[in-house]
Amino acid sequence: MAVLTVNDLCKTFGAGTARSNRVLDHISFDVRGQTFVSIVGPSGCGKSTLLNIISGVETHTSGAISVTSDDGRPARLGYVFQDPRLLPWRTVRKNMMYVQDKDDEVTRGRVDRYLDMVGLGKHGDFWPGQLSGGMQQRVGIARAFAVEPDLLIMDEPFSHLDAITARGLRAQLQDIWAQSKKTVVFVTHDVVEAVELSDRIIVLQPGGRIYEDITIDLPRPRRQSDPAVATLQAEVLARLEKMKAMTPQVAASV
Amino acid sequence: MSNPVVEASPAAPAVTWQEGEALARKASARTRRKRLALLTAGWAAMFLIWQLAAYYLPFGVLPAPLEVGEVMWDIVVSGAFAENFFASVGKTFLGFVVATAVGAPIGYLMGRYDYWKAFFHDGVTVAGTIPALTYAVLSLIIFGISDLGPILSVALVSVPFVAINVAEGVRGVDQSLVRMSQAFGRSSRQIRREVFVPTLVPYVFAAIRMSFAVAWKVEALTEVFGGKNGVGFQIRSEYQLFNIDGVLAWMCLFIIFMLIVERLVLRKLENRVLAWRPEERVGK
Ligand SMILES: Nc1ncnc2c1ncn2[C@@H]1O[C@H](COP(=O)(O)OP(=O)(O)OP(=O)(O)O)[C@@H](O)[C@H]1O
Ligand SMILES: [Mg+2]
């Protein structure tokens, strides 16, 4: 598990130039322990940028951010990107091993187990170029799970998969999360998915401010058929509709 | 670009996919046969012209193809060819090793940093346009009669190719893969080995293929004037004995075998190393 603290974070791309673009605007929140947080918001509101800053591959303009494991070690990170991001010149299994720190029996066993979990147990020796887009995305998911991270970051991991596969993986994600004590930060467009999975939903509005921070207090495991889930989903959707109404220029997505 | 919508005639008869495949196979066999016929015709025309020239030129100036063929056969059977050929190929490849050792870091700097690009750019471009003959002469002046001359000339010819291609490759590195690696806490050494180097390999192959076409000729040329062994050296020896069929025989053998190296060995090696590229697997 990890402790993630984001304090007054701002990000401006191309600061000081004519194309200066403020993407994140005074964002503050913190997440600790075994919490599942979803970040939702319209396309282009800075969700991926926020994840990149959290994972340290993007710099921020001002504010502070810290990620530690809850016993004070540097946190181990797993990142599922919006696209698969596999090394095309390594086989599926080698791609998984690339992000592991050790190369021993235990690690190899774990890698194979997670490949099995995403339904690609037989594809370990394939080149990424031989897999379909959705299969590659599943390798990306298995890769992040297999590092057994303290903080798992996922950027719309299921949005390119068919409904059945996505539902299966969502259930797996819940199981893993329940068993393995992780902090998860999960970006999605899909409010239904967010309510099903999260303890908390942070809604970003265009321009990169936090519009709302909703706590989802429902018992687990959650079922789609449970009326309480459906009611809450409708309620969250209604609140997002309200946000759209306030910012008519982006009435498109979410 | 042909437009399939326009091309498909509305009255086209329905074909099963087996029939379709058979048709496609037949069509590709037809183009293959046509190409083979033209290739053979080209070679036949060349031999005919050679034969005619040998016949009409004064006696002793140009030996006929068959005479040269006999000498070629003798050279191969005596083992002299294998020995000298490997000497020449060995020097060519050593030259490549030197060229890669020098050109790859230059290319890396050029691809990575704009100010190093400014520093090297004109030099590399000029070096790439200097005629290969100049490098051969330069190597002779520096090393005289020695094995090092041919190696140096190959290296000099190839360095610009390597540098330019590696620079291109470095610019082609997928930054999203670098970020992925960083997000998973990979060290910069791991990123270099797993992301940068594999990206560069196809570009280095391209460089070797391009420079090989020039390099083996320069290598032989340098041997003609300053070699102690190798095919070029044999050509000069035969020349000094006024042995025209010997000169031609060595030349033909060298051309044939270098084409084989270029077309078969290099390409095979490339296909193997780059097996991960989806388009390389098509048709295997
Ligand atoms: N490297 C970059 N340089 C300049 N601008 C960028 C860069 N990366 C992102 N942006 C800008 O930042 C804004 C937010 O991008 P981001 O990718 O974070 O959006 P997002 O919320 O993830 O959208 P989506 O849901 O479509 O993935 C966009 O306006 C984009 O143009
Ligand atoms: Mg995004």
Side-chain angles (χ1 to χ4, degrees):
Chain A
M1 289 186 280
V3 180
L4 164 65
T5 326
V6 178
N7 193 9
D8 212 22
L9 186 80
C10 293
K11 172 68 183 180
T12 307
F13 282 110
T17 69
R19 265 186 305 200
S20 158
N21 180 8
R22 163 69 49 108
V23 176
L24 294 173
D25 196 2
H26 300 284
I27 302 269
S28 298
F29 64 93
D30 49 272
V31 185
R32 56 186 64 237
Q34 191 173 8
T35 313
F36 196 118
V37 187
S38 287
I39 299 176
V40 301
S43 179
C45 71
K47 304 182 296 295
S48 297
T49 307
L50 179 59
L51 294 190
N52 284 334
I53 294 172
I54 292 173
S55 67
V57 298
E58 183 74 77
T59 58
H60 53 280
T61 315
S62 68
I65 185 151
S66 90
V67 185
T68 51
S69 101
D70 54 0
D71 52 12
R73 290 175 296 113
R76 187 195 297 275
L77 243 71
Y79 199 146
V80 181
F81 297 89
Q82 218 168 338
D83 48 339
R85 301 213 185 170
L86 306 176
L87 305 174
W89 40 80
R90 293 278 177 265
T91 60
V92 166
R93 192 174 285 112
K94 292 251 175 73
N95 262 285
M96 306 263 298
M97 290 303 294
Y98 170 51
V99 300
Q100 299 287 338
D101 290 331
K102 292 203 198 109
D103 183 2
D104 53 18
E105 279 304 310
V106 183
T107 313
R108 279 193 292 270
R110 189 169 64 226
V111 159
D112 283 343
R113 207 167 62 242
Y114 280 103
L115 263 183
D116 252 343
M117 187 201 87
V118 298
L120 295 172
K122 295 202 176 63
H123 293 81
D125 295 322
F126 279 54
W127 303 109
Q130 290 173 306
L131 304 184
S132 76
M135 290 160 95
Q136 293 181 25
Q137 185 65 16
R138 281 185 275 155
V139 177
I141 293 168
R143 176 177 62 188
F145 283 171
V147 302
E148 308 212 307
D150 301 302
L151 177 62
L152 177 60
I153 300 175
M154 306 179 87
D155 196 348
E156 297 183 37
F158 307 135
S159 61
H160 299 302
L161 302 175
D162 66 278
I164 309 278
T165 310
R167 194 195 305 162
L169 287 172
R170 237 176 258 133
Q172 304 268 23
L173 172 60
Q174 292 204 62
D175 285 350
I176 289 171
W177 173 75
Q179 290 160 16
S180 65
K181 314 218 176 308
K182 287 186 205 338
T183 309
V184 180
V185 178
F186 186 93
V187 162
T188 178
H189 275 130
D190 181 349
V191 175
V192 173
E193 178 180 71
V195 172
E196 184 188 337
L197 294 172
S198 324
D199 299 308
R200 193 174 150 195
I201 300 177
I202 295 176
V203 182
L204 282 188
Q205 68 185 47
R209 275 191 213 178
I210 294 183
Y211 173 75
E212 212 171 357
D213 193 336
I214 307 168
T215 305
I216 308 290
D217 199 4
L218 288 176
R220 291 173 190 272
R222 294 172 187 164
R223 294 240 147 65
Q224 204 59 87
S225 51
D226 185 345
V229 174
T231 314
L232 204 52
Q233 282 167 342
E235 192 195 319
V236 172
L237 264 175
R239 290 204 223 174
L240 290 178
E241 291 293 342
K242 213 173 84 194
M243 177 184 87
K244 268 195 223 166
M246 285 169 54
T247 49
Q249 70 273 22
V250 285
S253 50
V254 175
Chain B
M1 292 283 285
S2 61
N3 186 339
V5 179
V6 176
E7 244 175 45
S9 103
V15 231
T16 67
W17 68 268
Q18 287 101 331
E19 286 168 350
E21 249 184 17
L23 281 178
R25 234 188 343 260
K26 250 189 227 157
S28 85
R30 208 158 41 231
T31 45
R32 242 199 330 269
R33 267 203 306 278
K34 224 185 261 171
R35 265 188 38 198
L36 197 67
L38 280 174
L39 196 73
T40 321
W43 280 98
M46 212 162 70
F47 276 114
L48 190 69
I49 291 171
W50 181 356
Q51 184 73 52
L52 287 176
Y55 183 77
Y56 284 110
L57 284 173
F59 180 77
V61 171
L62 184 65
L66 260 175
E67 295 165 43
V68 174
E70 269 166 36
V71 182
M72 278 163 75
W73 179 249
D74 290 342
I75 293 173
V76 172
V77 171
S78 72
F81 178 70
E83 192 188 323
N84 287 283
F85 178 74
F86 283 121
S88 294
V89 169
K91 281 181 251 181
T92 310
F93 275 92
L94 273 177
F96 279 143
V97 171
V98 175
T100 310
V102 176
I106 293 178
Y108 179 81
L109 290 173
M110 282 174 71
R112 194 72 197 274
Y113 307 105
D114 275 343
Y115 41 89
W116 280 113
K117 187 183 170 191
F119 181 81
F120 283 117
H121 182 266
D122 289 348
V124 170
T125 313
V126 170
T129 50
I130 290 176
L133 181 63
T134 318
Y135 290 128
V137 174
L138 193 66
S139 306
L140 285 172
I141 293 170
I142 297 174
F143 286 118
I145 308 271
S146 150
D147 279 349
L148 294 175
I151 296 176
L152 178 69
S153 62
V154 169
L156 287 172
V157 168
S158 311
V159 161
F161 286 107
V162 175
I164 289 169
N165 276 284
V166 168
E168 205 55 48
V170 169
R171 276 193 290 271
V173 167
D174 184 348
Q175 289 304 318
S176 75
L177 290 179
V178 174
R179 283 169 162 227
M180 180 276 289
S181 308
Q182 288 166 342
F184 281 100
R186 299 301 90 189
S187 68
S188 45
R189 203 172 132 254
Q190 280 174 304
I191 297 177
R192 226 175 298 134
R193 211 183 51 213
E194 297 288 320
V195 180
F196 272 73
V197 172
T199 306
L200 289 181
V201 168
Y203 290 90
V204 171
F205 264 113
I208 288 183
R209 229 184 313 108
M210 284 190 230
S211 45
F212 190 79
V214 191
W216 64 266
K217 292 168 203 148
V218 181
E219 197 275 338
L221 187 67
T222 318
E223 272 177 359
V224 167
F225 296 110
K228 291 192 302 189
N229 56 14
V231 175
F233 172 76
Q234 293 300 335
I235 290 177
R236 187 192 49 186
S237 308
E238 300 284 349
Y239 174 76
Q240 281 169 341
L241 300 171
F242 297 107
N243 219 344
I244 311 285
D245 27 3
V247 170
L248 285 176
W250 277 103
M251 228 166 67
C252 290
L253 279 172
F254 195 49
I255 290 171
I256 291 167
F257 277 81
M258 278 310 189
L259 285 179
I260 290 176
V261 170
E262 194 175 326
R263 297 273 160 85
L264 296 182
V265 180
L266 279 182
R267 206 152 296 173
K268 276 262 155 58
L269 191 69
E270 189 173 349
N271 281 347
R272 222 187 139 125
V273 174
L274 302 180
W276 56 269
R277 293 203 293 199
E279 65 272 17
E280 296 291 337
R281 284 197 312 272
V282 171
K284 254 196 200 164

